[in-house]
Amino acid sequence: GSLLSNYSEGALLFSLLADVGYDAMVPGTPDYDFGPEGWLVDQVPAGQNGDPRGVIKKLASSAPFPLLSSNAYLKSSLKTLDGKPAEVESQGCLSKDLIDWSVAERPEFLKSYVIKNVAGLRVAVIGLDNPVTPTTTTPANVSDLCFRDSAAEYESVRESLEGKADVFVLVIHDGDINHEKNLTNLLARLEAYRPDAVDAVIGGHTHQVNRIEENGVYAIQSGAYGERFGRIDLVVDSKTK
């Protein structure tokens, strides 16, 4: 929201993240707010042509790290089990029909996950946007997208990575704040799904400091504005993984 951020349309911060050496990033609601290129325009004017996600696509193409959002889908790609176009709500990708997620497509500038080799271990970093993104960013910039339920999407990706990674880290644009325990509830759902579902969770969005623990697995959020540095140390048996 600062002048420097708005004028550079996020490029200044992306440059800093690159210098620091980040491995991945989840876009989140503020990045979609930039809309088309041009810092004085936050959405494509009515009756004009333009790319409603021109800025975030430009930033993604120049960043030395991937932008991760597994649960962001193109509505037009969602089909029912019998191959017909599915009618879905933007928030949660909710539909009265059963959706064939095997053919669903994500925006081309996003990846579902990245696998990094760290100390001889395969670390999968899985990204999720906030399911309520359509109502917390500029709606016109994501009107052709829907954002699937966090736990359902993570479980789907986790199953697809079985045997392909040793450590699983979830990065999500969501967190706890006051009575809303979105991060706490998500971690509990994943632990109920399977004990080895996730090894660490890093949150965002709410600008709070979160330190949540569920059966030895931690979910953290380190405030906002670069004021704090979050750290989770994972100790792994190199033989048994």
Side-chain angles (χ1 to χ4, degrees):
S2 70
L3 176 60
L4 286 175
S5 175
N6 288 336
Y7 181 70
S8 71
E9 295 191 295
L12 188 63
L13 183 58
F14 267 70
S15 176
L16 174 62
L17 297 177
D19 289 342
V20 171
Y22 275 72
D23 293 301
M25 170 185 164
V26 174
T29 52
D31 293 286
Y32 295 111
D33 272 329
F34 285 123
E37 291 189 58
W39 80 282
L40 295 176
V41 182
D42 291 332
Q43 65 184 63
V44 178
Q48 296 186 22
N49 295 322
D51 189 339
R53 291 186 291 276
V55 171
I56 190 61
K57 289 180 181 179
K58 181 179 179 180
L59 293 173
S61 66
S62 62
F65 48 81
L67 270 61
L68 306 179
S69 181
S70 181
N71 62 332
Y73 288 98
L74 295 166
K75 286 182 181 179
S76 60
S77 73
L78 299 184
K79 308 293 182 183
T80 62
L81 295 180
D82 56 1
K84 297 179 181 179
E87 293 186 9
V88 298
E89 296 180 16
S90 296
Q91 184 171 313
C93 293
L94 299 176
S95 175
K96 58 180 175 53
D97 301 310
L98 293 177
I99 295 175
D100 182 1
W101 293 103
S102 67
V103 299
E105 298 177 5
R106 302 176 181 90
E108 73 281 358
F109 66 95
L110 296 172
K111 289 187 177 182
S112 176
Y113 61 86
V114 61
I115 297 179
K116 308 285 292 188
N117 190 291
V118 182
L121 294 168
R122 300 167 298 175
V123 179
V125 182
I126 302 166
L128 292 175
D129 259 315
N130 197 315
V132 302
T133 295
T135 59
T136 53
T137 190
T138 305
N141 295 340
V142 294
S143 61
D144 60 329
L145 303 180
C146 71
F147 297 82
R148 192 183 182 192
D149 173 76
S150 301
E153 179 63 27
Y154 182 85
E155 291 174 15
S156 178
V157 177
R158 175 65 177 83
E159 290 177 9
S160 72
L161 292 175
E162 189 67 31
K164 299 178 182 178
D166 308 302
V167 176
F168 297 88
V169 177
L170 169 59
V171 184
I172 182 171
H173 192 71
D174 204 354
D176 287 3
I177 181 170
N178 300 327
H179 66 283
E180 296 181 6
K181 304 297 183 181
N182 292 351
L183 202 58
T184 296
N185 294 337
L186 175 62
L187 182 55
R189 286 179 66 183
L190 296 182
E191 283 292 294
Y193 156 61
R194 55 187 287 180
D196 63 345
V198 66
D199 297 297
V201 182
I202 301 169
H205 183 57
T206 62
H207 295 195
Q208 304 300 298
V209 175
N210 295 157
R211 184 181 185 274
I212 305 156
E213 186 266 338
E214 181 80 23
N215 295 328
V217 177
Y218 285 88
I220 66 171
Q221 179 180 324
S222 306
Y225 310 118
E227 295 174 346
R228 297 173 179 84
F229 181 81
R231 175 169 174 166
I232 299 176
D233 291 320
L234 298 177
V235 181
V236 184
D237 187 311
S238 60
K239 294 182 179 179
T240 64
K241 305 297 174 70

